[in-house]
Structure formats: C-alpha cells, structure tokens
Amino acid sequence: MSKKVKTLIGIGVVAVVLIGTFLALYFLLPEKAEEDPGILNNEHHVVFDETGKTLETITVEYGDEKYVVEQLDGSTYGIAAIEDYVTDFSDFTYMFQSGNRIASYVKLDKPDSDLSLYGLDKPQAYITYQFKEGVSHKLIVGDINASANGYYTMVDDSPEVYVLQNTTLDRYLVSQKSFIDMVIVPVIETSDKEEFPKYSYFEIERPDLDKNIYIRSFKSEEIKTTVGYGSPVKMVSPIESLVLDDAIGEYLYGYFGLTAAKCASFTYTESDAAKYGFDKPNAVLRVKYDNTELVLTVGKFADKEKTQYYLHSSKNNELVYVVDASAKELNFMKVRPSQLVSPVAVQPHVRDLNKITLQMKQGKVYTFDLKHSVGEDDKNILEVTCNGKKVDSEHFKRYLQLLLYTSGEEIYEGKPVDESQEILKIQYDYVEDFEPDVVKILKNSARYGVMEVNGAQNFTARLAYVDKLETELENLFAGKPIDTEW
C-alpha cells in the first residue's frame, strides 16, 4: 500500500471519530434552558411611590407570626414587644428609610395567570406599609427567583408581578425573634484577673449530683491556716475544700460569653416551665458576683437529635433561648466536684513552718523543730532537729516534699470514719500567726483510708503512703538520700 493511500485512510478515520463525537454530544447534552420571555431587565419599575408621605407602621406577616415595626422613640424604630431585648436596630431603620418608595429592576412582561408558578397562590409573607395620610400598600411575597436574585412579588390588587431584590426583602422574611440579641452572658472584656468579677457564691444543681456544688468567697476571719492561701473562694458543698486556681478560670468564669443559637420564645411565664423542661431541669447555675445575681436554667433538649437545649436566664425573664449542647460555656453541666478542688492536704512553704509533729501507726511521735536564719549573701539557712537530735537539712527538705504529697484520691462522701482508726497524724505549726493545720489518715479498708484535713473528711487516701513515710523516715535518720517517688 502506497504512502499516499495510508495518509488518506488516516484522515478518513479521524473524520469519522470527530463526526461520531459531535453526534454523541448533540443527543446526550441537555437541551438549552429556555429564557423567560416575561422578564424585563435593566429598567426601573416602580412598585409604589409615596415620597413625601409619613410612614407610620410596617406590618409583617411571615409564617405563623405577625408583627409591627414602628417608631419607638426619637429616631429609633423597632418592634415594641421585643424592644428590651434588641441591641441592634439598624434593620428597622433601613425598613423605614426605604419604605416610602419600593422599586424593582425586574418585572414580568406577560405573567402567567397561574400564580402557583411564582409561589404567589400561597405567599410566604405579606408586608403592609401604612402611611399617616391614610394610604397603605401591601406587598405579597412568593417564591425566590435565584437567577434574578430576588422574590416574586405583587402589590395590592395589581396583576403585575415583580422580582424584588433579596437585599430589600431578606430583612422582612424572618421571625421577629431573630432580631433579639443572642448574647446571654457577656464576655469578660479584660485579661487582668484582678479586674475579674468577684464572687459571693457559685452554685450548681444537677440531677446527677447527690449534693449541690456550692462555692463561696473566703471570709477574712476564715483565713487562719495556709489552706486559705492562693484562692479567693472555697467549696463548702459537697465537701469543704480549697478551689483550684485553674478551676476558677475554667469553670467559675467558664460560662461568660454564652451565646444562643436562636430564641424560642419572648413571652415565657412560669406556666410554660414544663413545655421547655424547666420544671425538671438538666442543670441550674446560680451565681452572685459584684452587684449581679444570675440564674441560668437548662431545660430539656430542643431537638430530636439532642444537639441543643432550651435555656432560661433570670436576667431576661420572658426569653427562652436555644443553645448548642456542645457549647464550651455549658461546662457547668458536666463538671464534677473533684475537678474543682485541690486534693493536696496543705501547701505551706518551708519558711512558714517552725514545727512539724508526725505521729505514726504504733503511736510513735516525731517532732521536727525548724530554725530559720539568714547567712551571708542573704542566703536562707535552715536547721532541723527531731526529738532534740540534729537532722540533715537537705535530706529533711526532700522528706518534707514527701510529706506534702499527702493528697487525696477521690472525694469521700461516705459515713464519717471513727477517730480510733487513725494510722497517721501530721500537724504543721507556723511562724506567722496562723492556726496549725492537722492532717490525718483514718483506715477504712484493707487498701484505702480517709484523709481528714482540719476535721473534715473529704478525700480517700492510699494506705501504702503511710508505709512509704515510715520507710523514708528511717532513711532520714540514717543520713541516707530520700526517695520521693512512690
């Protein structure tokens, strides 16, 4: 076969492939959408014009709601029923400023008599503009026309059909509840802890708690021992204990900044409590800080998927909010008492101590006397004796670390353990005018006991800790290094 013939055959094959591809595209591609011959663009179509007249009210009927936007006072426009709960009135101002003249750039040239094509047989909204001079106009709003960026609209009894822009109508096509401020508790505006709200009390009530969590401020006369150091508040229920600094920031201030997803009602009364689950709440937070008292009540789930709760705030009695269950500001719904308090019995600094009395299982008593002085270069010098005999001060400091490891395991809420079960007692006496701190461990089972701090049996403790103290005490007296790991 000649080279020329081969070339011609190749050209023919390519032509067949191209023709086949064209035919496939022709039959398989969708037909071109017909342009709506009834839409006129780029012209200014006046829907109504009452320039010079005084607009008195705008009545919106949307969904199952009907509300009136009007002048409230001065230059403020809004809805009287929710006036106290709105902080941004700009949408209402826009409604009035643009309400004398409504125009559209899109109008149907030959609208179909079947209004269902435009959603105007069952309108989604009616907007009535009432003027002081007795004139009124009603906009009838149908379906959205995505290509024209607006909604099919008619006015009064006119057969004309317009498409009014989204920017004109979106402000109206909402529930009046959407205008309500969704901030339930404002954020703290400062990072300076000294300027944080000062608590009088903080209380959490939940069905899963045997006793309410109750935290209150320290009273000045209560700060008699080092247990009062480092915290402005103390827990008094379910146990009496120091509150951790980290817990104060995470939980006591954790609900600040709480914001709702939406508002469920602005006409709430106590007779509605069961409807929202406030008669049997999932959680109640009661607080008083500075001059503010606040109660947050978390009711039942607001949706079938259990992703949102109803919430009521005593600050806005008539409002029912819907909040996201995952909101970090709701951490008071899950926090356990053990997450709020310090399991460490006492936390004195060695320079604050002048005597430690240690009483072990067999009734043996060891009294450590601490003498503090300042040497050259202002260096602190510590001299220690036990029952009158000198003890290596550096080894003692390591043993003191072990003593201060006296910490609880879990919060103890059982029956008080009799003092006769005491197997360890540590008393800390201080240089300053503080009362002594007394820590005891009382045997309660084969492996565990109860730790008592200044008369309060708040935590469980491991009995193996007592054995460790005895072992390292022998090392201390023998001049051997102290092992603080156990």
Side-chain angles (χ1 to χ4, degrees), residues 383-418:
E383 297 178 70
V384 183
T385 61
C386 179
N387 295 345
K389 296 182 180 180
K390 188 174 181 179
V391 176
D392 183 281
S393 61
E394 294 304 314
H395 287 175
F396 172 78
K397 289 178 182 178
R398 294 279 293 174
Y399 189 73
L400 179 60
Q401 290 179 31
L402 189 60
L403 282 180
L404 296 180
Y405 282 167
T406 309
S407 60
E409 298 285 318
E410 299 290 340
I411 284 181
Y412 179 73
E413 297 185 67
K415 295 180 179 179
V417 180
D418 193 272

PDB file of all heavy atoms in Angstrom, residues 383-418:
ATOM      1  N   GLU A 383      17.950  24.995 110.005  1.00  0.00           N
ATOM      2  CA  GLU A 383      18.474  23.988 110.921  1.00  0.00           C
ATOM      3  C   GLU A 383      17.294  23.188 111.462  1.00  0.00           C
ATOM      4  O   GLU A 383      16.278  23.770 111.865  1.00  0.00           O
ATOM      5  CB  GLU A 383      19.230  24.652 112.079  1.00  0.00           C
ATOM      6  CG  GLU A 383      20.460  25.429 111.639  1.00  0.00           C
ATOM      7  CD  GLU A 383      21.151  26.114 112.815  1.00  0.00           C
ATOM      8  OE1 GLU A 383      21.750  25.397 113.647  1.00  0.00           O
ATOM      9  OE2 GLU A 383      21.040  27.361 112.890  1.00  0.00           O
ATOM     10  N   VAL A 384      17.439  21.845 111.449  1.00  0.00           N
ATOM     11  CA  VAL A 384      16.328  20.972 111.824  1.00  0.00           C
ATOM     12  C   VAL A 384      16.789  19.986 112.905  1.00  0.00           C
ATOM     13  O   VAL A 384      17.879  19.396 112.810  1.00  0.00           O
ATOM     14  CB  VAL A 384      15.803  20.182 110.600  1.00  0.00           C
ATOM     15  CG1 VAL A 384      14.600  19.336 111.000  1.00  0.00           C
ATOM     16  CG2 VAL A 384      15.462  21.120 109.459  1.00  0.00           C
ATOM     17  N   THR A 385      15.926  19.827 113.897  1.00  0.00           N
ATOM     18  CA  THR A 385      16.146  18.762 114.883  1.00  0.00           C
ATOM     19  C   THR A 385      14.875  17.930 114.979  1.00  0.00           C
ATOM     20  O   THR A 385      13.769  18.427 114.733  1.00  0.00           O
ATOM     21  CB  THR A 385      16.474  19.343 116.270  1.00  0.00           C
ATOM     22  OG1 THR A 385      15.381  20.145 116.719  1.00  0.00           O
ATOM     23  CG2 THR A 385      17.757  20.168 116.235  1.00  0.00           C
ATOM     24  N   CYS A 386      15.044  16.650 115.316  1.00  0.00           N
ATOM     25  CA  CYS A 386      13.893  15.766 115.533  1.00  0.00           C
ATOM     26  C   CYS A 386      14.029  15.150 116.918  1.00  0.00           C
ATOM     27  O   CYS A 386      15.015  14.434 117.188  1.00  0.00           O
ATOM     28  CB  CYS A 386      13.845  14.680 114.473  1.00  0.00           C
ATOM     29  SG  CYS A 386      12.451  13.541 114.699  1.00  0.00           S
ATOM     30  N   ASN A 387      13.059  15.455 117.739  1.00  0.00           N
ATOM     31  CA  ASN A 387      13.101  14.986 119.138  1.00  0.00           C
ATOM     32  C   ASN A 387      14.434  15.361 119.781  1.00  0.00           C
ATOM     33  O   ASN A 387      15.027  14.594 120.551  1.00  0.00           O
ATOM     34  CB  ASN A 387      12.867  13.480 119.225  1.00  0.00           C
ATOM     35  CG  ASN A 387      11.467  13.099 118.770  1.00  0.00           C
ATOM     36  OD1 ASN A 387      10.581  13.948 118.654  1.00  0.00           O
ATOM     37  ND2 ASN A 387      11.257  11.819 118.505  1.00  0.00           N
ATOM     38  N   GLY A 388      14.919  16.564 119.426  1.00  0.00           N
ATOM     39  CA  GLY A 388      16.135  17.101 120.035  1.00  0.00           C
ATOM     40  C   GLY A 388      17.409  16.738 119.310  1.00  0.00           C
ATOM     41  O   GLY A 388      18.466  17.290 119.627  1.00  0.00           O
ATOM     42  N   LYS A 389      17.380  15.841 118.318  1.00  0.00           N
ATOM     43  CA  LYS A 389      18.581  15.415 117.608  1.00  0.00           C
ATOM     44  C   LYS A 389      18.653  16.099 116.244  1.00  0.00           C
ATOM     45  O   LYS A 389      17.645  16.211 115.546  1.00  0.00           O
ATOM     46  CB  LYS A 389      18.605  13.902 117.433  1.00  0.00           C
ATOM     47  CG  LYS A 389      18.693  13.139 118.751  1.00  0.00           C
ATOM     48  CD  LYS A 389      18.758  11.643 118.502  1.00  0.00           C
ATOM     49  CE  LYS A 389      18.858  10.872 119.826  1.00  0.00           C
ATOM     50  NZ  LYS A 389      18.919   9.396 119.601  1.00  0.00           N
ATOM     51  N   LYS A 390      19.870  16.537 115.875  1.00  0.00           N
ATOM     52  CA  LYS A 390      20.041  17.253 114.618  1.00  0.00           C
ATOM     53  C   LYS A 390      19.783  16.346 113.425  1.00  0.00           C
ATOM     54  O   LYS A 390      20.171  15.172 113.420  1.00  0.00           O
ATOM     55  CB  LYS A 390      21.465  17.831 114.549  1.00  0.00           C
ATOM     56  CG  LYS A 390      21.681  18.753 113.355  1.00  0.00           C
ATOM     57  CD  LYS A 390      23.051  19.422 113.408  1.00  0.00           C
ATOM     58  CE  LYS A 390      23.215  20.356 112.212  1.00  0.00           C
ATOM     59  NZ  LYS A 390      24.542  21.046 112.247  1.00  0.00           N
ATOM     60  N   VAL A 391      19.143  16.909 112.405  1.00  0.00           N
ATOM     61  CA  VAL A 391      18.815  16.182 111.171  1.00  0.00           C
ATOM     62  C   VAL A 391      19.394  16.949 109.996  1.00  0.00           C
ATOM     63  O   VAL A 391      19.377  18.194 109.983  1.00  0.00           O
ATOM     64  CB  VAL A 391      17.282  16.038 111.010  1.00  0.00           C
ATOM     65  CG1 VAL A 391      16.933  15.373 109.680  1.00  0.00           C
ATOM     66  CG2 VAL A 391      16.704  15.244 112.172  1.00  0.00           C
ATOM     67  N   ASP A 392      19.926  16.225 109.019  1.00  0.00           N
ATOM     68  CA  ASP A 392      20.452  16.874 107.822  1.00  0.00           C
ATOM     69  C   ASP A 392      19.341  17.683 107.137  1.00  0.00           C
ATOM     70  O   ASP A 392      18.304  17.139 106.759  1.00  0.00           O
ATOM     71  CB  ASP A 392      21.001  15.816 106.854  1.00  0.00           C
ATOM     72  CG  ASP A 392      21.638  16.451 105.627  1.00  0.00           C
ATOM     73  OD1 ASP A 392      20.867  16.860 104.720  1.00  0.00           O
ATOM     74  OD2 ASP A 392      22.866  16.544 105.567  1.00  0.00           O
ATOM     75  N   SER A 393      19.570  19.001 106.996  1.00  0.00           N
ATOM     76  CA  SER A 393      18.507  19.878 106.492  1.00  0.00           C
ATOM     77  C   SER A 393      18.153  19.592 105.032  1.00  0.00           C
ATOM     78  O   SER A 393      16.978  19.711 104.636  1.00  0.00           O
ATOM     79  CB  SER A 393      18.909  21.350 106.665  1.00  0.00           C
ATOM     80  OG  SER A 393      20.086  21.633 105.932  1.00  0.00           O
ATOM     81  N   GLU A 394      19.153  19.239 104.214  1.00  0.00           N
ATOM     82  CA  GLU A 394      18.863  18.960 102.809  1.00  0.00           C
ATOM     83  C   GLU A 394      18.044  17.684 102.673  1.00  0.00           C
ATOM     84  O   GLU A 394      17.103  17.615 101.869  1.00  0.00           O
ATOM     85  CB  GLU A 394      20.157  18.851 102.002  1.00  0.00           C
ATOM     86  CG  GLU A 394      20.930  20.164 101.901  1.00  0.00           C
ATOM     87  CD  GLU A 394      20.083  21.292 101.321  1.00  0.00           C
ATOM     88  OE1 GLU A 394      19.393  21.056 100.296  1.00  0.00           O
ATOM     89  OE2 GLU A 394      20.099  22.402 101.890  1.00  0.00           O
ATOM     90  N   HIS A 395      18.413  16.651 103.446  1.00  0.00           N
ATOM     91  CA  HIS A 395      17.606  15.422 103.436  1.00  0.00           C
ATOM     92  C   HIS A 395      16.202  15.692 103.970  1.00  0.00           C
ATOM     93  O   HIS A 395      15.214  15.113 103.484  1.00  0.00           O
ATOM     94  CB  HIS A 395      18.298  14.326 104.271  1.00  0.00           C
ATOM     95  CG  HIS A 395      19.496  13.750 103.586  1.00  0.00           C
ATOM     96  ND1 HIS A 395      20.323  12.823 104.196  1.00  0.00           N
ATOM     97  CD2 HIS A 395      20.014  13.957 102.358  1.00  0.00           C
ATOM     98  CE1 HIS A 395      21.300  12.488 103.374  1.00  0.00           C
ATOM     99  NE2 HIS A 395      21.126  13.180 102.244  1.00  0.00           N
ATOM    100  N   PHE A 396      16.116  16.581 104.968  1.00  0.00           N
ATOM    101  CA  PHE A 396      14.798  16.891 105.525  1.00  0.00           C
ATOM    102  C   PHE A 396      13.909  17.577 104.485  1.00  0.00           C
ATOM    103  O   PHE A 396      12.698  17.314 104.416  1.00  0.00           O
ATOM    104  CB  PHE A 396      14.930  17.784 106.767  1.00  0.00           C
ATOM    105  CG  PHE A 396      13.614  18.285 107.257  1.00  0.00           C
ATOM    106  CD1 PHE A 396      12.766  17.462 107.997  1.00  0.00           C
ATOM    107  CD2 PHE A 396      13.182  19.576 106.950  1.00  0.00           C
ATOM    108  CE1 PHE A 396      11.527  17.915 108.424  1.00  0.00           C
ATOM    109  CE2 PHE A 396      11.953  20.036 107.386  1.00  0.00           C
ATOM    110  CZ  PHE A 396      11.120  19.204 108.116  1.00  0.00           C
ATOM    111  N   LYS A 397      14.498  18.491 103.702  1.00  0.00           N
ATOM    112  CA  LYS A 397      13.703  19.162 102.670  1.00  0.00           C
ATOM    113  C   LYS A 397      13.103  18.149 101.699  1.00  0.00           C
ATOM    114  O   LYS A 397      11.961  18.307 101.244  1.00  0.00           O
ATOM    115  CB  LYS A 397      14.558  20.174 101.916  1.00  0.00           C
ATOM    116  CG  LYS A 397      14.922  21.402 102.746  1.00  0.00           C
ATOM    117  CD  LYS A 397      15.815  22.338 101.949  1.00  0.00           C
ATOM    118  CE  LYS A 397      16.233  23.546 102.783  1.00  0.00           C
ATOM    119  NZ  LYS A 397      17.154  24.451 102.021  1.00  0.00           N
ATOM    120  N   ARG A 398      13.869  17.095 101.373  1.00  0.00           N
ATOM    121  CA  ARG A 398      13.349  16.050 100.495  1.00  0.00           C
ATOM    122  C   ARG A 398      12.229  15.273 101.195  1.00  0.00           C
ATOM    123  O   ARG A 398      11.210  14.950 100.577  1.00  0.00           O
ATOM    124  CB  ARG A 398      14.478  15.078 100.105  1.00  0.00           C
ATOM    125  CG  ARG A 398      15.556  15.672  99.249  1.00  0.00           C
ATOM    126  CD  ARG A 398      15.143  15.736  97.783  1.00  0.00           C
ATOM    127  NE  ARG A 398      15.015  14.391  97.215  1.00  0.00           N
ATOM    128  CZ  ARG A 398      14.558  14.150  95.994  1.00  0.00           C
ATOM    129  NH1 ARG A 398      14.153  15.157  95.241  1.00  0.00           N
ATOM    130  NH2 ARG A 398      14.471  12.908  95.534  1.00  0.00           N
ATOM    131  N   TYR A 399      12.402  15.030 102.484  1.00  0.00           N
ATOM    132  CA  TYR A 399      11.353  14.316 103.227  1.00  0.00           C
ATOM    133  C   TYR A 399      10.096  15.180 103.349  1.00  0.00           C
ATOM    134  O   TYR A 399       8.972  14.674 103.294  1.00  0.00           O
ATOM    135  CB  TYR A 399      11.867  13.920 104.616  1.00  0.00           C
ATOM    136  CG  TYR A 399      10.922  13.001 105.359  1.00  0.00           C
ATOM    137  CD1 TYR A 399      10.796  11.671 104.982  1.00  0.00           C
ATOM    138  CD2 TYR A 399      10.132  13.459 106.415  1.00  0.00           C
ATOM    139  CE1 TYR A 399       9.917  10.817 105.634  1.00  0.00           C
ATOM    140  CE2 TYR A 399       9.259  12.621 107.076  1.00  0.00           C
ATOM    141  CZ  TYR A 399       9.161  11.300 106.675  1.00  0.00           C
ATOM    142  OH  TYR A 399       8.283  10.440 107.328  1.00  0.00           O
ATOM    143  N   LEU A 400      10.304  16.501 103.486  1.00  0.00           N
ATOM    144  CA  LEU A 400       9.169  17.408 103.560  1.00  0.00           C
ATOM    145  C   LEU A 400       8.355  17.360 102.259  1.00  0.00           C
ATOM    146  O   LEU A 400       7.129  17.426 102.289  1.00  0.00           O
ATOM    147  CB  LEU A 400       9.647  18.835 103.833  1.00  0.00           C
ATOM    148  CG  LEU A 400       8.553  19.916 103.917  1.00  0.00           C
ATOM    149  CD1 LEU A 400       7.573  19.588 105.045  1.00  0.00           C
ATOM    150  CD2 LEU A 400       9.171  21.291 104.122  1.00  0.00           C
ATOM    151  N   GLN A 401       9.047  17.231 101.125  1.00  0.00           N
ATOM    152  CA  GLN A 401       8.335  17.082  99.856  1.00  0.00           C
ATOM    153  C   GLN A 401       7.404  15.877  99.891  1.00  0.00           C
ATOM    154  O   GLN A 401       6.269  15.923  99.425  1.00  0.00           O
ATOM    155  CB  GLN A 401       9.323  16.929  98.696  1.00  0.00           C
ATOM    156  CG  GLN A 401      10.109  18.181  98.371  1.00  0.00           C
ATOM    157  CD  GLN A 401      11.074  17.934  97.225  1.00  0.00           C
ATOM    158  OE1 GLN A 401      10.819  17.131  96.334  1.00  0.00           O
ATOM    159  NE2 GLN A 401      12.199  18.628  97.257  1.00  0.00           N
ATOM    160  N   LEU A 402       7.903  14.796 100.471  1.00  0.00           N
ATOM    161  CA  LEU A 402       7.090  13.589 100.568  1.00  0.00           C
ATOM    162  C   LEU A 402       5.896  13.815 101.493  1.00  0.00           C
ATOM    163  O   LEU A 402       4.781  13.349 101.207  1.00  0.00           O
ATOM    164  CB  LEU A 402       7.962  12.430 101.089  1.00  0.00           C
ATOM    165  CG  LEU A 402       7.336  11.035 101.063  1.00  0.00           C
ATOM    166  CD1 LEU A 402       6.968  10.625  99.650  1.00  0.00           C
ATOM    167  CD2 LEU A 402       8.302  10.015 101.674  1.00  0.00           C
ATOM    168  N   LEU A 403       6.122  14.533 102.586  1.00  0.00           N
ATOM    169  CA  LEU A 403       5.014  14.842 103.496  1.00  0.00           C
ATOM    170  C   LEU A 403       3.931  15.661 102.780  1.00  0.00           C
ATOM    171  O   LEU A 403       2.734  15.422 102.948  1.00  0.00           O
ATOM    172  CB  LEU A 403       5.515  15.640 104.701  1.00  0.00           C
ATOM    173  CG  LEU A 403       6.228  14.877 105.819  1.00  0.00           C
ATOM    174  CD1 LEU A 403       6.640  15.853 106.917  1.00  0.00           C
ATOM    175  CD2 LEU A 403       5.338  13.794 106.395  1.00  0.00           C
ATOM    176  N   LEU A 404       4.396  16.604 101.982  1.00  0.00           N
ATOM    177  CA  LEU A 404       3.438  17.473 101.296  1.00  0.00           C
ATOM    178  C   LEU A 404       2.756  16.764 100.127  1.00  0.00           C
ATOM    179  O   LEU A 404       1.863  17.335  99.509  1.00  0.00           O
ATOM    180  CB  LEU A 404       4.134  18.756 100.806  1.00  0.00           C
ATOM    181  CG  LEU A 404       4.688  19.641 101.919  1.00  0.00           C
ATOM    182  CD1 LEU A 404       5.346  20.874 101.338  1.00  0.00           C
ATOM    183  CD2 LEU A 404       3.594  20.035 102.895  1.00  0.00           C
ATOM    184  N   TYR A 405       3.202  15.546  99.829  1.00  0.00           N
ATOM    185  CA  TYR A 405       2.490  14.746  98.826  1.00  0.00           C
ATOM    186  C   TYR A 405       1.217  14.145  99.399  1.00  0.00           C
ATOM    187  O   TYR A 405       0.510  13.421  98.718  1.00  0.00           O
ATOM    188  CB  TYR A 405       3.389  13.607  98.318  1.00  0.00           C
ATOM    189  CG  TYR A 405       4.424  14.024  97.312  1.00  0.00           C
ATOM    190  CD1 TYR A 405       5.465  13.162  96.971  1.00  0.00           C
ATOM    191  CD2 TYR A 405       4.389  15.273  96.705  1.00  0.00           C
ATOM    192  CE1 TYR A 405       6.425  13.531  96.046  1.00  0.00           C
ATOM    193  CE2 TYR A 405       5.354  15.653  95.790  1.00  0.00           C
ATOM    194  CZ  TYR A 405       6.370  14.776  95.465  1.00  0.00           C
ATOM    195  OH  TYR A 405       7.322  15.142  94.555  1.00  0.00           O
ATOM    196  N   THR A 406       0.961  14.437 100.680  1.00  0.00           N
ATOM    197  CA  THR A 406      -0.255  13.926 101.300  1.00  0.00           C
ATOM    198  C   THR A 406      -1.452  14.476 100.530  1.00  0.00           C
ATOM    199  O   THR A 406      -1.852  15.617 100.717  1.00  0.00           O
ATOM    200  CB  THR A 406      -0.358  14.357 102.777  1.00  0.00           C
ATOM    201  OG1 THR A 406       0.851  14.043 103.441  1.00  0.00           O
ATOM    202  CG2 THR A 406      -1.506  13.637 103.457  1.00  0.00           C
ATOM    203  N   SER A 407      -1.976  13.652  99.638  1.00  0.00           N
ATOM    204  CA  SER A 407      -3.065  14.122  98.790  1.00  0.00           C
ATOM    205  C   SER A 407      -4.134  13.054  98.669  1.00  0.00           C
ATOM    206  O   SER A 407      -3.863  11.859  98.801  1.00  0.00           O
ATOM    207  CB  SER A 407      -2.547  14.501  97.395  1.00  0.00           C
ATOM    208  OG  SER A 407      -1.955  13.379  96.772  1.00  0.00           O
ATOM    209  N   GLY A 408      -5.345  13.525  98.429  1.00  0.00           N
ATOM    210  CA  GLY A 408      -6.469  12.612  98.312  1.00  0.00           C
ATOM    211  C   GLY A 408      -6.545  11.963  96.942  1.00  0.00           C
ATOM    212  O   GLY A 408      -5.957  12.438  95.970  1.00  0.00           O
ATOM    213  N   GLU A 409      -7.326  10.884  96.874  1.00  0.00           N
ATOM    214  CA  GLU A 409      -7.552  10.184  95.610  1.00  0.00           C
ATOM    215  C   GLU A 409      -8.873  10.630  94.996  1.00  0.00           C
ATOM    216  O   GLU A 409      -8.925  11.163  93.907  1.00  0.00           O
ATOM    217  CB  GLU A 409      -7.563   8.666  95.854  1.00  0.00           C
ATOM    218  CG  GLU A 409      -6.256   8.108  96.390  1.00  0.00           C
ATOM    219  CD  GLU A 409      -5.194   8.017  95.315  1.00  0.00           C
ATOM    220  OE1 GLU A 409      -5.536   7.611  94.190  1.00  0.00           O
ATOM    221  OE2 GLU A 409      -4.037   8.363  95.592  1.00  0.00           O
ATOM    222  N   GLU A 410      -9.954  10.385  95.723  1.00  0.00           N
ATOM    223  CA  GLU A 410     -11.297  10.745  95.271  1.00  0.00           C
ATOM    224  C   GLU A 410     -12.030  11.455  96.402  1.00  0.00           C
ATOM    225  O   GLU A 410     -11.687  11.301  97.577  1.00  0.00           O
ATOM    226  CB  GLU A 410     -12.086   9.486  94.864  1.00  0.00           C
ATOM    227  CG  GLU A 410     -11.462   8.686  93.717  1.00  0.00           C
ATOM    228  CD  GLU A 410     -11.550   9.401  92.395  1.00  0.00           C
ATOM    229  OE1 GLU A 410     -12.401  10.317  92.277  1.00  0.00           O
ATOM    230  OE2 GLU A 410     -10.780   9.075  91.476  1.00  0.00           O
ATOM    231  N   ILE A 411     -13.043  12.219  96.050  1.00  0.00           N
ATOM    232  CA  ILE A 411     -13.856  12.866  97.079  1.00  0.00           C
ATOM    233  C   ILE A 411     -14.592  11.796  97.887  1.00  0.00           C
ATOM    234  O   ILE A 411     -15.167  10.866  97.327  1.00  0.00           O
ATOM    235  CB  ILE A 411     -14.848  13.852  96.441  1.00  0.00           C
ATOM    236  CG1 ILE A 411     -14.109  15.119  96.027  1.00  0.00           C
ATOM    237  CG2 ILE A 411     -15.978  14.206  97.406  1.00  0.00           C
ATOM    238  CD1 ILE A 411     -14.981  16.176  95.408  1.00  0.00           C
ATOM    239  N   TYR A 412     -14.550  11.937  99.198  1.00  0.00           N
ATOM    240  CA  TYR A 412     -15.200  10.973 100.085  1.00  0.00           C
ATOM    241  C   TYR A 412     -16.502  11.571 100.615  1.00  0.00           C
ATOM    242  O   TYR A 412     -16.499  12.637 101.226  1.00  0.00           O
ATOM    243  CB  TYR A 412     -14.281  10.606 101.260  1.00  0.00           C
ATOM    244  CG  TYR A 412     -14.888   9.634 102.237  1.00  0.00           C
ATOM    245  CD1 TYR A 412     -15.044   8.294 101.891  1.00  0.00           C
ATOM    246  CD2 TYR A 412     -15.328  10.047 103.500  1.00  0.00           C
ATOM    247  CE1 TYR A 412     -15.608   7.389 102.786  1.00  0.00           C
ATOM    248  CE2 TYR A 412     -15.893   9.159 104.391  1.00  0.00           C
ATOM    249  CZ  TYR A 412     -16.032   7.824 104.032  1.00  0.00           C
ATOM    250  OH  TYR A 412     -16.599   6.926 104.897  1.00  0.00           O
ATOM    251  N   GLU A 413     -17.607  10.888 100.338  1.00  0.00           N
ATOM    252  CA  GLU A 413     -18.907  11.363 100.796  1.00  0.00           C
ATOM    253  C   GLU A 413     -19.617  10.298 101.647  1.00  0.00           C
ATOM    254  O   GLU A 413     -20.829  10.362 101.835  1.00  0.00           O
ATOM    255  CB  GLU A 413     -19.783  11.739  99.594  1.00  0.00           C
ATOM    256  CG  GLU A 413     -19.229  12.893  98.778  1.00  0.00           C
ATOM    257  CD  GLU A 413     -20.160  13.322  97.663  1.00  0.00           C
ATOM    258  OE1 GLU A 413     -21.245  13.837  97.989  1.00  0.00           O
ATOM    259  OE2 GLU A 413     -19.810  13.131  96.479  1.00  0.00           O
ATOM    260  N   GLY A 414     -18.836   9.333 102.161  1.00  0.00           N
ATOM    261  CA  GLY A 414     -19.426   8.274 102.971  1.00  0.00           C
ATOM    262  C   GLY A 414     -19.612   8.694 104.417  1.00  0.00           C
ATOM    263  O   GLY A 414     -19.470   9.868 104.785  1.00  0.00           O
ATOM    264  N   LYS A 415     -19.925   7.724 105.246  1.00  0.00           N
ATOM    265  CA  LYS A 415     -20.117   7.999 106.663  1.00  0.00           C
ATOM    266  C   LYS A 415     -18.789   8.361 107.311  1.00  0.00           C
ATOM    267  O   LYS A 415     -17.740   7.844 106.918  1.00  0.00           O
ATOM    268  CB  LYS A 415     -20.719   6.776 107.362  1.00  0.00           C
ATOM    269  CG  LYS A 415     -22.124   6.421 106.897  1.00  0.00           C
ATOM    270  CD  LYS A 415     -22.641   5.205 107.645  1.00  0.00           C
ATOM    271  CE  LYS A 415     -24.061   4.855 107.190  1.00  0.00           C
ATOM    272  NZ  LYS A 415     -24.582   3.657 107.896  1.00  0.00           N
ATOM    273  N   PRO A 416     -18.793   9.246 108.304  1.00  0.00           N
ATOM    274  CA  PRO A 416     -17.554   9.613 108.981  1.00  0.00           C
ATOM    275  C   PRO A 416     -16.868   8.391 109.585  1.00  0.00           C
ATOM    276  O   PRO A 416     -17.520   7.519 110.172  1.00  0.00           O
ATOM    277  CB  PRO A 416     -18.020  10.581 110.076  1.00  0.00           C
ATOM    278  CG  PRO A 416     -19.324  11.127 109.567  1.00  0.00           C
ATOM    279  CD  PRO A 416     -19.959  10.004 108.815  1.00  0.00           C
ATOM    280  N   VAL A 417     -15.546   8.320 109.434  1.00  0.00           N
ATOM    281  CA  VAL A 417     -14.764   7.225 109.988  1.00  0.00           C
ATOM    282  C   VAL A 417     -14.352   7.601 111.410  1.00  0.00           C
ATOM    283  O   VAL A 417     -13.938   8.737 111.665  1.00  0.00           O
ATOM    284  CB  VAL A 417     -13.524   6.950 109.120  1.00  0.00           C
ATOM    285  CG1 VAL A 417     -12.697   5.807 109.710  1.00  0.00           C
ATOM    286  CG2 VAL A 417     -13.950   6.621 107.688  1.00  0.00           C
ATOM    287  N   ASP A 418     -14.480   6.650 112.319  1.00  0.00           N
ATOM    288  CA  ASP A 418     -14.167   6.921 113.725  1.00  0.00           C
ATOM    289  C   ASP A 418     -12.691   7.267 113.895  1.00  0.00           C
ATOM    290  O   ASP A 418     -11.817   6.696 113.251  1.00  0.00           O
ATOM    291  CB  ASP A 418     -14.506   5.687 114.579  1.00  0.00           C
ATOM    292  CG  ASP A 418     -14.491   6.020 116.059  1.00  0.00           C
ATOM    293  OD1 ASP A 418     -13.401   5.920 116.661  1.00  0.00           O
ATOM    294  OD2 ASP A 418     -15.557   6.393 116.590  1.00  0.00           O
TER     295      ASP A 418
END
